[in-house]
PDB file of all heavy atoms in Angstrom:
ATOM      1  N   SER A 123      11.613  32.556-123.371  1.00 93.00           N
ATOM      2  CA  SER A 123      12.452  33.717-123.652  1.00 93.00           C
ATOM      3  C   SER A 123      11.932  34.504-124.853  1.00 93.00           C
ATOM      4  O   SER A 123      11.298  33.954-125.753  1.00 93.00           O
ATOM      5  CB  SER A 123      13.893  33.287-123.916  1.00 93.00           C
ATOM      6  OG  SER A 123      14.002  32.619-125.158  1.00 93.00           O
ATOM      7  N   LEU A 124      12.225  35.804-124.845  1.00 93.00           N
ATOM      8  CA  LEU A 124      11.810  36.693-125.928  1.00 93.00           C
ATOM      9  C   LEU A 124      12.999  37.302-126.666  1.00 93.00           C
ATOM     10  O   LEU A 124      12.796  38.096-127.581  1.00 93.00           O
ATOM     11  CB  LEU A 124      10.912  37.814-125.379  1.00 93.00           C
ATOM     12  CG  LEU A 124       9.522  37.386-124.937  1.00 93.00           C
ATOM     13  CD1 LEU A 124       8.844  38.495-124.143  1.00 93.00           C
ATOM     14  CD2 LEU A 124       8.675  36.993-126.138  1.00 93.00           C
ATOM     15  N   GLN A 125      14.202  36.952-126.242  1.00 93.00           N
ATOM     16  CA  GLN A 125      15.402  37.493-126.872  1.00 93.00           C
ATOM     17  C   GLN A 125      16.315  36.344-127.316  1.00 93.00           C
ATOM     18  O   GLN A 125      16.371  35.298-126.669  1.00 93.00           O
ATOM     19  CB  GLN A 125      16.140  38.431-125.913  1.00 93.00           C
ATOM     20  CG  GLN A 125      15.301  39.607-125.411  1.00 93.00           C
ATOM     21  CD  GLN A 125      14.843  40.540-126.523  1.00 93.00           C
ATOM     22  OE1 GLN A 125      15.514  40.664-127.555  1.00 93.00           O
ATOM     23  NE2 GLN A 125      13.703  41.205-126.321  1.00 93.00           N
ATOM     24  N   GLU A 126      17.064  36.569-128.414  1.00 90.00           N
ATOM     25  CA  GLU A 126      17.865  35.503-129.020  1.00 90.00           C
ATOM     26  C   GLU A 126      19.043  35.075-128.158  1.00 90.00           C
ATOM     27  O   GLU A 126      19.584  33.975-128.358  1.00 90.00           O
ATOM     28  CB  GLU A 126      18.353  35.958-130.400  1.00 90.00           C
ATOM     29  CG  GLU A 126      17.213  36.086-131.417  1.00 90.00           C
ATOM     30  CD  GLU A 126      17.686  36.592-132.763  1.00 90.00           C
ATOM     31  OE1 GLU A 126      18.830  37.104-132.824  1.00 90.00           O
ATOM     32  OE2 GLU A 126      16.922  36.472-133.741  1.00 90.00           O
ATOM     33  N   ASP A 127      19.470  35.912-127.208  1.00 91.00           N
ATOM     34  CA  ASP A 127      20.620  35.561-126.370  1.00 91.00           C
ATOM     35  C   ASP A 127      20.212  34.888-125.065  1.00 91.00           C
ATOM     36  O   ASP A 127      21.036  34.694-124.171  1.00 91.00           O
ATOM     37  CB  ASP A 127      21.461  36.800-126.069  1.00 91.00           C
ATOM     38  CG  ASP A 127      20.696  37.848-125.267  1.00 91.00           C
ATOM     39  OD1 ASP A 127      19.447  37.777-125.230  1.00 91.00           O
ATOM     40  OD2 ASP A 127      21.347  38.741-124.696  1.00 91.00           O
ATOM     41  N   LEU A 128      18.954  34.504-124.958  1.00 92.00           N
ATOM     42  CA  LEU A 128      18.438  33.830-123.769  1.00 92.00           C
ATOM     43  C   LEU A 128      17.947  32.457-124.193  1.00 92.00           C
ATOM     44  O   LEU A 128      17.024  32.341-125.011  1.00 92.00           O
ATOM     45  CB  LEU A 128      17.302  34.651-123.161  1.00 92.00           C
ATOM     46  CG  LEU A 128      16.885  34.388-121.719  1.00 92.00           C
ATOM     47  CD1 LEU A 128      18.072  34.496-120.780  1.00 92.00           C
ATOM     48  CD2 LEU A 128      15.797  35.355-121.304  1.00 92.00           C
ATOM     49  N   HIS A 129      18.574  31.407-123.645  1.00 91.00           N
ATOM     50  CA  HIS A 129      18.380  30.064-124.186  1.00 91.00           C
ATOM     51  C   HIS A 129      17.766  29.099-123.180  1.00 91.00           C
ATOM     52  O   HIS A 129      17.739  29.363-121.967  1.00 91.00           O
ATOM     53  CB  HIS A 129      19.726  29.520-124.681  1.00 91.00           C
ATOM     54  CG  HIS A 129      20.402  30.393-125.682  1.00 91.00           C
ATOM     55  ND1 HIS A 129      19.896  30.597-126.945  1.00 91.00           N
ATOM     56  CD2 HIS A 129      21.534  31.150-125.584  1.00 91.00           C
ATOM     57  CE1 HIS A 129      20.694  31.429-127.609  1.00 91.00           C
ATOM     58  NE2 HIS A 129      21.683  31.785-126.809  1.00 91.00           N
ATOM     59  N   ASP A 132      18.585  28.530-119.267  1.00 94.00           N
ATOM     60  CA  ASP A 132      19.052  29.726-118.566  1.00 94.00           C
ATOM     61  C   ASP A 132      18.105  30.076-117.420  1.00 94.00           C
ATOM     62  O   ASP A 132      16.900  29.804-117.477  1.00 94.00           O
ATOM     63  CB  ASP A 132      19.122  30.916-119.533  1.00 94.00           C
ATOM     64  CG  ASP A 132      20.276  30.802-120.528  1.00 94.00           C
ATOM     65  OD1 ASP A 132      21.144  29.931-120.330  1.00 94.00           O
ATOM     66  OD2 ASP A 132      20.292  31.573-121.501  1.00 94.00           O
ATOM     67  N   PHE A 133      18.656  30.723-116.384  1.00 97.00           N
ATOM     68  CA  PHE A 133      17.867  31.180-115.243  1.00 97.00           C
ATOM     69  C   PHE A 133      17.721  32.696-115.332  1.00 97.00           C
ATOM     70  O   PHE A 133      18.702  33.416-115.507  1.00 97.00           O
ATOM     71  CB  PHE A 133      18.549  30.819-113.924  1.00 97.00           C
ATOM     72  CG  PHE A 133      18.767  29.345-113.714  1.00 97.00           C
ATOM     73  CD1 PHE A 133      19.781  28.882-112.878  1.00 97.00           C
ATOM     74  CD2 PHE A 133      17.952  28.410-114.334  1.00 97.00           C
ATOM     75  CE1 PHE A 133      19.979  27.531-112.676  1.00 97.00           C
ATOM     76  CE2 PHE A 133      18.141  27.044-114.136  1.00 97.00           C
ATOM     77  CZ  PHE A 133      19.163  26.610-113.305  1.00 97.00           C
ATOM     78  N   VAL A 134      16.469  33.179-115.174  1.00 97.00           N
ATOM     79  CA  VAL A 134      16.188  34.608-115.308  1.00 97.00           C
ATOM     80  C   VAL A 134      15.402  35.121-114.107  1.00 97.00           C
ATOM     81  O   VAL A 134      14.348  34.582-113.767  1.00 97.00           O
ATOM     82  CB  VAL A 134      15.383  34.912-116.595  1.00 97.00           C
ATOM     83  CG1 VAL A 134      15.221  36.409-116.769  1.00 97.00           C
ATOM     84  CG2 VAL A 134      16.051  34.308-117.808  1.00 97.00           C
ATOM     85  N   ILE A 135      15.926  36.162-113.480  1.00 98.00           N
ATOM     86  CA  ILE A 135      15.224  36.838-112.396  1.00 98.00           C
ATOM     87  C   ILE A 135      14.354  37.941-112.971  1.00 98.00           C
ATOM     88  O   ILE A 135      14.809  38.719-113.818  1.00 98.00           O
ATOM     89  CB  ILE A 135      16.227  37.448-111.391  1.00 98.00           C
ATOM     90  CG1 ILE A 135      16.949  36.337-110.624  1.00 98.00           C
ATOM     91  CG2 ILE A 135      15.526  38.386-110.404  1.00 98.00           C
ATOM     92  CD1 ILE A 135      18.068  36.843-109.737  1.00 98.00           C
ATOM     93  N   ALA A 136      13.101  38.010-112.514  1.00 98.00           N
ATOM     94  CA  ALA A 136      12.195  39.089-112.936  1.00 98.00           C
ATOM     95  C   ALA A 136      12.504  40.326-112.104  1.00 98.00           C
ATOM     96  O   ALA A 136      11.819  40.624-111.125  1.00 98.00           O
ATOM     97  CB  ALA A 136      10.742  38.668-112.770  1.00 98.00           C
ATOM     98  N   GLU A 137      13.563  41.041-112.490  1.00 98.00           N
ATOM     99  CA  GLU A 137      13.911  42.255-111.749  1.00 98.00           C
ATOM    100  C   GLU A 137      12.761  43.253-111.797  1.00 98.00           C
ATOM    101  O   GLU A 137      12.502  43.972-110.843  1.00 98.00           O
ATOM    102  CB  GLU A 137      15.184  42.869-112.315  1.00 98.00           C
ATOM    103  CG  GLU A 137      15.818  43.901-111.425  1.00 98.00           C
ATOM    104  CD  GLU A 137      17.227  44.253-111.840  1.00 98.00           C
ATOM    105  OE1 GLU A 137      17.538  44.189-113.042  1.00 98.00           O
ATOM    106  OE2 GLU A 137      18.028  44.596-110.947  1.00 98.00           O
ATOM    107  N   VAL A 187      16.939  39.842-104.463  1.00 97.00           N
ATOM    108  CA  VAL A 187      17.626  39.693-105.748  1.00 97.00           C
ATOM    109  C   VAL A 187      19.132  39.573-105.538  1.00 97.00           C
ATOM    110  O   VAL A 187      19.807  38.746-106.165  1.00 97.00           O
ATOM    111  CB  VAL A 187      17.291  40.864-106.689  1.00 97.00           C
ATOM    112  CG1 VAL A 187      18.178  40.837-107.933  1.00 97.00           C
ATOM    113  CG2 VAL A 187      15.824  40.814-107.108  1.00 97.00           C
ATOM    114  N   GLY A 191      20.462  36.120-106.630  1.00 95.00           N
ATOM    115  CA  GLY A 191      21.071  36.288-107.943  1.00 95.00           C
ATOM    116  C   GLY A 191      22.588  36.298-107.896  1.00 95.00           C
ATOM    117  O   GLY A 191      23.185  36.998-107.083  1.00 95.00           O
ATOM    118  N   ARG A 192      23.200  35.519-108.765  1.00 88.00           N
ATOM    119  CA  ARG A 192      24.659  35.500-108.917  1.00 88.00           C
ATOM    120  C   ARG A 192      24.954  35.562-110.424  1.00 88.00           C
ATOM    121  O   ARG A 192      24.088  35.867-111.233  1.00 88.00           O
ATOM    122  CB  ARG A 192      25.258  34.227-108.297  1.00 88.00           C
ATOM    123  CG  ARG A 192      24.835  33.979-106.857  1.00 88.00           C
ATOM    124  CD  ARG A 192      25.635  34.791-105.845  1.00 88.00           C
ATOM    125  NE  ARG A 192      25.069  34.653-104.495  1.00 88.00           N
ATOM    126  CZ  ARG A 192      25.352  33.663-103.668  1.00 88.00           C
ATOM    127  NH1 ARG A 192      26.178  32.702-104.034  1.00 88.00           N
ATOM    128  NH2 ARG A 192      24.800  33.624-102.452  1.00 88.00           N
ATOM    129  N   ASP A 193      26.187  35.211-110.790  1.00 89.00           N
ATOM    130  CA  ASP A 193      26.558  35.230-112.204  1.00 89.00           C
ATOM    131  C   ASP A 193      25.829  34.182-113.021  1.00 89.00           C
ATOM    132  O   ASP A 193      25.815  34.245-114.251  1.00 89.00           O
ATOM    133  CB  ASP A 193      28.073  35.028-112.348  1.00 89.00           C
ATOM    134  CG  ASP A 193      28.873  36.204-111.798  1.00 89.00           C
ATOM    135  OD1 ASP A 193      28.293  37.292-111.642  1.00 89.00           O
ATOM    136  OD2 ASP A 193      30.077  36.018-111.521  1.00 89.00           O
ATOM    137  N   ASP A 194      25.232  33.203-112.339  1.00 94.00           N
ATOM    138  CA  ASP A 194      24.526  32.136-113.053  1.00 94.00           C
ATOM    139  C   ASP A 194      23.059  32.485-113.317  1.00 94.00           C
ATOM    140  O   ASP A 194      22.306  31.635-113.812  1.00 94.00           O
ATOM    141  CB  ASP A 194      24.612  30.823-112.280  1.00 94.00           C
ATOM    142  CG  ASP A 194      24.117  30.944-110.842  1.00 94.00           C
ATOM    143  OD1 ASP A 194      23.811  32.072-110.402  1.00 94.00           O
ATOM    144  OD2 ASP A 194      24.045  29.899-110.158  1.00 94.00           O
ATOM    145  N   MET A 195      22.657  33.714-113.015  1.00 96.00           N
ATOM    146  CA  MET A 195      21.285  34.154-113.266  1.00 96.00           C
ATOM    147  C   MET A 195      21.276  35.492-113.988  1.00 96.00           C
ATOM    148  O   MET A 195      22.023  36.400-113.628  1.00 96.00           O
ATOM    149  CB  MET A 195      20.500  34.273-111.955  1.00 96.00           C
ATOM    150  CG  MET A 195      20.300  32.967-111.231  1.00 96.00           C
ATOM    151  SD  MET A 195      19.307  33.177-109.716  1.00 96.00           S
ATOM    152  CE  MET A 195      19.399  31.510-109.036  1.00 96.00           C
ATOM    153  N   ARG A 196      20.438  35.609-114.988  1.00 96.00           N
ATOM    154  CA  ARG A 196      20.268  36.857-115.718  1.00 96.00           C
ATOM    155  C   ARG A 196      19.184  37.685-115.034  1.00 96.00           C
ATOM    156  O   ARG A 196      18.170  37.153-114.599  1.00 96.00           O
ATOM    157  CB  ARG A 196      19.843  36.542-117.171  1.00 96.00           C
ATOM    158  CG  ARG A 196      19.374  37.722-117.999  1.00 96.00           C
ATOM    159  CD  ARG A 196      20.403  38.191-118.968  1.00 96.00           C
ATOM    160  NE  ARG A 196      19.793  39.127-119.922  1.00 96.00           N
ATOM    161  CZ  ARG A 196      19.598  38.867-121.209  1.00 96.00           C
ATOM    162  NH1 ARG A 196      19.970  37.686-121.705  1.00 96.00           N
ATOM    163  NH2 ARG A 196      19.060  39.756-122.012  1.00 96.00           N
ATOM    164  N   ARG A 197      19.405  38.981-114.906  1.00 97.00           N
ATOM    165  CA  ARG A 197      18.373  39.872-114.374  1.00 97.00           C
ATOM    166  C   ARG A 197      17.625  40.498-115.545  1.00 97.00           C
ATOM    167  O   ARG A 197      18.240  41.132-116.409  1.00 97.00           O
ATOM    168  CB  ARG A 197      19.015  40.942-113.490  1.00 97.00           C
ATOM    169  CG  ARG A 197      19.745  40.342-112.297  1.00 97.00           C
ATOM    170  CD  ARG A 197      20.281  41.377-111.354  1.00 97.00           C
ATOM    171  NE  ARG A 197      21.071  40.751-110.294  1.00 97.00           N
ATOM    172  CZ  ARG A 197      21.537  41.394-109.236  1.00 97.00           C
ATOM    173  NH1 ARG A 197      21.297  42.689-109.098  1.00 97.00           N
ATOM    174  NH2 ARG A 197      22.240  40.753-108.323  1.00 97.00           N
ATOM    175  N   GLY A 198      16.308  40.298-115.561  1.00 97.00           N
ATOM    176  CA  GLY A 198      15.557  40.715-116.729  1.00 97.00           C
ATOM    177  C   GLY A 198      14.292  41.477-116.409  1.00 97.00           C
ATOM    178  O   GLY A 198      13.918  41.668-115.253  1.00 97.00           O
ATOM    179  N   PHE A 199      13.641  41.921-117.480  1.00 98.00           N
ATOM    180  CA  PHE A 199      12.307  42.513-117.420  1.00 98.00           C
ATOM    181  C   PHE A 199      11.345  41.444-117.925  1.00 98.00           C
ATOM    182  O   PHE A 199      11.461  40.984-119.071  1.00 98.00           O
ATOM    183  CB  PHE A 199      12.208  43.762-118.289  1.00 98.00           C
ATOM    184  CG  PHE A 199      13.110  44.899-117.864  1.00 98.00           C
ATOM    185  CD1 PHE A 199      13.435  45.905-118.760  1.00 98.00           C
ATOM    186  CD2 PHE A 199      13.622  44.969-116.581  1.00 98.00           C
ATOM    187  CE1 PHE A 199      14.254  46.960-118.377  1.00 98.00           C
ATOM    188  CE2 PHE A 199      14.438  46.016-116.185  1.00 98.00           C
ATOM    189  CZ  PHE A 199      14.756  47.020-117.093  1.00 98.00           C
ATOM    190  N   THR A 200      10.411  41.048-117.074  1.00 98.00           N
ATOM    191  CA  THR A 200       9.540  39.907-117.345  1.00 98.00           C
ATOM    192  C   THR A 200       8.107  40.353-117.559  1.00 98.00           C
ATOM    193  O   THR A 200       7.580  41.164-116.797  1.00 98.00           O
ATOM    194  CB  THR A 200       9.606  38.906-116.173  1.00 98.00           C
ATOM    195  OG1 THR A 200      10.945  38.431-116.040  1.00 98.00           O
ATOM    196  CG2 THR A 200       8.678  37.727-116.395  1.00 98.00           C
ATOM    197  N   ARG A 231      12.550  48.894-125.402  1.00 98.00           N
ATOM    198  CA  ARG A 231      13.717  49.065-124.542  1.00 98.00           C
ATOM    199  C   ARG A 231      13.398  50.090-123.457  1.00 98.00           C
ATOM    200  O   ARG A 231      12.755  51.111-123.715  1.00 98.00           O
ATOM    201  CB  ARG A 231      14.942  49.548-125.335  1.00 98.00           C
ATOM    202  CG  ARG A 231      15.430  48.576-126.401  1.00 98.00           C
ATOM    203  CD  ARG A 231      16.021  47.326-125.778  1.00 98.00           C
ATOM    204  NE  ARG A 231      16.583  46.405-126.767  1.00 98.00           N
ATOM    205  CZ  ARG A 231      15.884  45.482-127.425  1.00 98.00           C
ATOM    206  NH1 ARG A 231      14.572  45.359-127.199  1.00 98.00           N
ATOM    207  NH2 ARG A 231      16.474  44.680-128.287  1.00 98.00           N
ATOM    208  N   ARG A 235      17.472  48.499-121.949  1.00 97.00           N
ATOM    209  CA  ARG A 235      17.356  47.064-121.694  1.00 97.00           C
ATOM    210  C   ARG A 235      16.059  46.503-122.254  1.00 97.00           C
ATOM    211  O   ARG A 235      15.018  47.168-122.204  1.00 97.00           O
ATOM    212  CB  ARG A 235      17.423  46.790-120.181  1.00 97.00           C
ATOM    213  CG  ARG A 235      18.757  47.156-119.547  1.00 97.00           C
ATOM    214  CD  ARG A 235      18.691  47.019-118.041  1.00 97.00           C
ATOM    215  NE  ARG A 235      18.320  45.660-117.628  1.00 97.00           N
ATOM    216  CZ  ARG A 235      18.055  45.316-116.372  1.00 97.00           C
ATOM    217  NH1 ARG A 235      18.082  46.246-115.408  1.00 97.00           N
ATOM    218  NH2 ARG A 235      17.745  44.077-116.064  1.00 97.00           N
ATOM    219  N   PRO A 236      16.084  45.268-122.783  1.00 97.00           N
ATOM    220  CA  PRO A 236      14.890  44.679-123.385  1.00 97.00           C
ATOM    221  C   PRO A 236      14.037  43.908-122.391  1.00 97.00           C
ATOM    222  O   PRO A 236      14.473  43.591-121.280  1.00 97.00           O
ATOM    223  CB  PRO A 236      15.482  43.716-124.411  1.00 97.00           C
ATOM    224  CG  PRO A 236      16.716  43.206-123.725  1.00 97.00           C
ATOM    225  CD  PRO A 236      17.271  44.400-122.965  1.00 97.00           C
ATOM    226  N   VAL A 237      12.826  43.592-122.803  1.00 97.00           N
ATOM    227  CA  VAL A 237      11.997  42.614-122.088  1.00 97.00           C
ATOM    228  C   VAL A 237      12.572  41.242-122.404  1.00 97.00           C
ATOM    229  O   VAL A 237      12.829  40.918-123.568  1.00 97.00           O
ATOM    230  CB  VAL A 237      10.532  42.707-122.523  1.00 97.00           C
ATOM    231  CG1 VAL A 237       9.718  41.576-121.900  1.00 97.00           C
ATOM    232  CG2 VAL A 237       9.942  44.056-122.139  1.00 97.00           C
ATOM    233  N   THR A 238      12.803  40.437-121.383  1.00 97.00           N
ATOM    234  CA  THR A 238      13.523  39.178-121.572  1.00 97.00           C
ATOM    235  C   THR A 238      12.638  37.952-121.751  1.00 97.00           C
ATOM    236  O   THR A 238      12.987  37.043-122.512  1.00 97.00           O
ATOM    237  CB  THR A 238      14.453  38.920-120.371  1.00 97.00           C
ATOM    238  OG1 THR A 238      13.723  39.135-119.152  1.00 97.00           O
ATOM    239  CG2 THR A 238      15.656  39.851-120.409  1.00 97.00           C
ATOM    240  N   ASN A 239      11.496  37.904-121.054  1.00 96.00           N
ATOM    241  CA  ASN A 239      10.767  36.634-121.024  1.00 96.00           C
ATOM    242  C   ASN A 239       9.302  36.812-120.639  1.00 96.00           C
ATOM    243  O   ASN A 239       8.894  37.846-120.104  1.00 96.00           O
ATOM    244  CB  ASN A 239      11.445  35.657-120.062  1.00 96.00           C
ATOM    245  CG  ASN A 239      11.558  36.180-118.641  1.00 96.00           C
ATOM    246  OD1 ASN A 239      12.012  37.298-118.384  1.00 96.00           O
ATOM    247  ND2 ASN A 239      11.140  35.354-117.687  1.00 96.00           N
ATOM    248  N   MET A 259      10.314  37.844-104.970  1.00 98.00           N
ATOM    249  CA  MET A 259      10.956  37.862-106.276  1.00 98.00           C
ATOM    250  C   MET A 259      10.586  36.581-107.010  1.00 98.00           C
ATOM    251  O   MET A 259      10.094  35.622-106.407  1.00 98.00           O
ATOM    252  CB  MET A 259      12.485  37.952-106.152  1.00 98.00           C
ATOM    253  CG  MET A 259      13.120  36.768-105.460  1.00 98.00           C
ATOM    254  SD  MET A 259      14.911  36.690-105.625  1.00 98.00           S
ATOM    255  CE  MET A 259      15.077  36.053-107.301  1.00 98.00           C
ATOM    256  N   THR A 260      10.829  36.586-108.319  1.00 98.00           N
ATOM    257  CA  THR A 260      10.598  35.409-109.153  1.00 98.00           C
ATOM    258  C   THR A 260      11.864  35.107-109.930  1.00 98.00           C
ATOM    259  O   THR A 260      12.510  36.011-110.467  1.00 98.00           O
ATOM    260  CB  THR A 260       9.441  35.652-110.143  1.00 98.00           C
ATOM    261  OG1 THR A 260       8.199  35.700-109.432  1.00 98.00           O
ATOM    262  CG2 THR A 260       9.356  34.544-111.173  1.00 98.00           C
ATOM    263  N   VAL A 261      12.229  33.832-109.987  1.00 98.00           N
ATOM    264  CA  VAL A 261      13.308  33.385-110.868  1.00 98.00           C
ATOM    265  C   VAL A 261      12.797  32.180-111.640  1.00 98.00           C
ATOM    266  O   VAL A 261      12.187  31.271-111.071  1.00 98.00           O
ATOM    267  CB  VAL A 261      14.602  33.067-110.090  1.00 98.00           C
ATOM    268  CG1 VAL A 261      14.375  32.000-109.034  1.00 98.00           C
ATOM    269  CG2 VAL A 261      15.723  32.673-111.043  1.00 98.00           C
ATOM    270  N   CYS A 262      13.008  32.208-112.956  1.00 97.00           N
ATOM    271  CA  CYS A 262      12.467  31.165-113.827  1.00 97.00           C
ATOM    272  C   CYS A 262      13.557  30.469-114.626  1.00 97.00           C
ATOM    273  O   CYS A 262      14.581  31.067-114.971  1.00 97.00           O
ATOM    274  CB  CYS A 262      11.470  31.767-114.823  1.00 97.00           C
ATOM    275  SG  CYS A 262       9.897  32.255-114.096  1.00 97.00           S
ATOM    276  N   ILE A 264      14.289  28.984-118.242  1.00 95.00           N
ATOM    277  CA  ILE A 264      13.780  29.089-119.611  1.00 95.00           C
ATOM    278  C   ILE A 264      13.577  27.691-120.182  1.00 95.00           C
ATOM    279  O   ILE A 264      14.515  26.876-120.207  1.00 95.00           O
ATOM    280  CB  ILE A 264      14.744  29.891-120.502  1.00 95.00           C
ATOM    281  CG1 ILE A 264      14.869  31.330-119.998  1.00 95.00           C
ATOM    282  CG2 ILE A 264      14.275  29.869-121.958  1.00 95.00           C
ATOM    283  CD1 ILE A 264      13.590  32.131-120.036  1.00 95.00           C
TER     284      ILE A 264
END
Side-chain angles (χ1 to χ4, degrees):
S123 71
L124 289 168
Q125 302 298 332
E126 292 178 345
D127 63 342
L128 198 55
H129 304 293
D132 288 348
F133 300 155
V134 185
I135 291 173
E137 195 166 31
V187 171
R192 307 279 172 85
D193 293 341
D194 55 354
M195 295 182 185
R196 169 103 168 249
R197 299 185 185 188
F199 297 160
T200 299
R231 297 292 184 274
R235 296 173 58 188
V237 173
T238 47
N239 58 310
M259 63 167 282
T260 290
V261 58
C262 287
I264 297 297

